[in-house]
Amino acid sequence: MDILGKTALVTGGTTGIGYSTAQLFLAHGARVAITGVDSNRLAIAAETLGNSALAIKADVRIPADLEAMAKTLDEKFGKLDILFANAGVAYATPLGETEAKTFDDIMDVNVKGVFFTVQSCLPHMKQGGSIILNTSWLADVGTAGLAALSASKAAVRSFARTMSAELLDRKIRVNAVSPGSIATPIYGKTGMSEAQLQAFASRLESAIPVRRFGHADDVAQAALFLASDRSSYMLGAEIAVDGGFAQL
């Protein structure tokens, strides 16, 4: 893929899809910065990714963190070619039990965090750059107990279209990658008990046409395509990487 020598930022890049994407971008010759909120995980990721990666501690919910992140990127990289707004959270939100704080946390990270991450990076994005957003199969399939999470991802799907329209004059493309059930640590943060997680995973796996969970690298490969010039005719689009779950 033609990203040799380009600069990229991957938010939420310490584990899972973000980390795998950072690895892949580096392997294809890009200079990569990752962000995370946990100092220990950030240090471990930076060490394993190697000297070509820049690690920045930043919480996408905090405007000052995003301002500092953008300043650091400008100092270290100059202009940015690629942004993968990947940072997100996933909590169960059953209608009768969800507290306002949980709802706000989801929206603050998954919706406001994405919007203001893009806003903070825009002054530093090169003309013709690529922005990739992380959506989800949940935006397409009604799933009991996950209303707020699903709504947050539907909002991000809309961002891919509206941001593309707004950035046409700068030739910046905004597209989305939509992961299905991917084996990453995020499932352990949903608030479900171990038994609930196992039951949920079993139901999902049996419903996936390919009969398996995906891997973080499956999504990273799609993100690499969207980051590269090979997707130059794509605007506001979404690539589903879900084993056919939301398609068949």
Side-chain angles (χ1 to χ4, degrees), residues 2 8 23 77 79 92 136 155 157 162 166 177 193 236 246:
D2 43 0
Q23 277 188 313
F77 283 179
K79 292 293 185 181
S136 171
R157 175 66 187 98
T162 54
E166 190 164 342
V177 60
S193 68

Side-chain angles (χ1 to χ4, degrees), residues 4-247:
L4 180 66
K6 292 190 175 183
T7 55
L9 169 65
V10 179
T11 65
T14 60
T15 60
I17 291 169
Y19 179 81
S20 289
T21 303
Q23 277 188 313
L24 195 60
F25 284 0
L26 286 165
H28 282 263
R31 299 168 64 200
V32 178
I34 62 169
T35 70
V37 295
D38 184 286
S39 298
N40 290 332
R41 285 203 302 266
L42 193 62
I44 292 169
E47 183 177 355
T48 55
L49 288 172
N51 294 331
S52 297
L54 171 65
I56 304 171
K57 186 174 181 181
D59 188 330
V60 297
R61 297 170 296 183
I62 302 173
D65 279 15
L66 294 176
E67 290 175 14
M69 175 195 75
K71 182 178 179 181
T72 300
L73 286 169
D74 190 49
E75 292 171 350
K76 300 292 186 180
F77 283 179
K79 292 293 185 181
L80 197 62
D81 296 287
I82 301 158
L83 166 62
F84 183 22
N86 166 73
V89 294
Y91 306 133
T93 51
L95 281 173
E97 303 169 26
T98 301
E99 297 180 353
K101 183 183 183 306
T102 302
F103 189 97
D104 288 344
D105 284 346
I106 289 175
M107 297 301 169
D108 284 348
V109 177
N110 293 0
V111 182
K112 288 176 65 177
V114 168
F115 185 92
F116 288 106
T117 293
V118 174
Q119 185 186 80
S120 69
C121 291
L122 272 181
H124 310 284
M125 290 287 298
K126 288 183 181 177
Q127 179 161 313
S130 174
I131 297 173
I132 306 150
L133 310 181
N134 193 340
T135 58
S136 171
W137 61 273
L138 290 168
D140 300 307
V141 180
T143 306
L146 296 173
L149 177 59
S150 301
S152 73
K153 291 301 185 178
V156 176
R157 175 66 187 98
S158 178
F159 284 162
R161 295 186 174 103
T162 54
M163 290 178 177
S164 280
E166 190 164 342
L167 297 173
L168 279 173
D169 61 334
R170 293 182 57 186
K171 297 182 172 59
I172 294 175
R173 300 178 296 111
V174 187
N175 294 292
V177 60
S178 176
S181 299
I182 309 297
T184 72
I186 199 168
Y187 281 102
K189 303 172 186 176
T190 59
M192 298 183 196
S193 68
E194 187 63 30
Q196 288 173 320
L197 273 174
Q198 288 181 358
F200 181 66
S202 296
R203 288 198 306 273
L204 280 180
E205 192 166 24
S206 64
I208 299 169
V210 299
R211 294 295 189 271
R212 70 168 178 86
F213 273 60
H215 305 293
D217 188 63
D218 295 326
V219 185
Q221 294 288 348
L224 174 63
F225 170 69
L226 292 175
S228 77
D229 293 339
R230 298 189 187 192
S231 60
S232 61
Y233 201 56
M234 295 178 68
L235 291 172
E238 180 183 62
I239 297 178
V241 187
D242 62 2
F245 183 74
Q247 319 305 318

